[in-house]
Amino acid sequence: MPGQGDQAQSAGGWATSKKCRIVNAALNGKPDVKHRAHLEYYWAYAWNGSRRVQVVVVVQNARKTQDGRYDAGRGQKIGVITAYCKGMTKCPNWLNQ
């Protein structure tokens, strides 16, 4: 995921991503949840044969977090915070292949 290294933690467990295709696909659409600068995209799906996984992408579209704990710097935005597979504790390995 952009700017997040290989792993990002979410409430749904660890989402390991070595490929950005699914994250970029979600970000090309409109957010499903928007609360100030906090955006959530739910519509991204990954397919492997007949298996389907819904990927949720969470974005902070602002320089700072709402609590002021993180600051990306002047002229910058934090961006993708995490991406996780909805309804499971870990994304399947095939998602990164």
Side-chain angles (χ1 to χ4, degrees):
M1 290 181 294
Q4 296 299 311
D6 290 335
Q7 294 185 335
Q9 188 175 19
S10 71
W14 286 93
T16 304
S17 180
K18 295 178 183 168
K19 309 257 181 188
C20 294
R21 287 186 307 232
I22 194 73
V23 173
N24 291 338
L27 297 177
N28 286 332
K30 292 187 178 185
D32 296 291
V33 173
K34 185 175 182 180
H35 180 70
R36 298 183 186 175
H38 177 90
L39 310 175
E40 295 181 16
Y41 298 82
Y42 292 140
W43 68 269
Y45 288 92
W47 294 86
N48 183 15
S50 62
R51 295 178 287 182
R52 181 179 81 165
V53 174
Q54 184 178 18
V55 178
V56 178
V57 180
V58 179
V59 174
Q60 182 66 21
N61 192 28
R63 174 184 168 177
K64 296 181 182 182
T65 54
Q66 207 168 352
D67 62 6
R69 188 171 171 189
Y70 298 99
D71 186 337
R74 188 165 61 186
Q76 302 294 313
K77 292 184 180 181
I78 293 172
V80 174
I81 294 173
T82 192
Y84 62 93
C85 295
K86 188 172 182 178
M88 46 186 72
T89 56
K90 185 178 179 189
C91 292
N93 289 333
W94 57 262
L95 190 62
N96 289 320
Q97 296 173 353

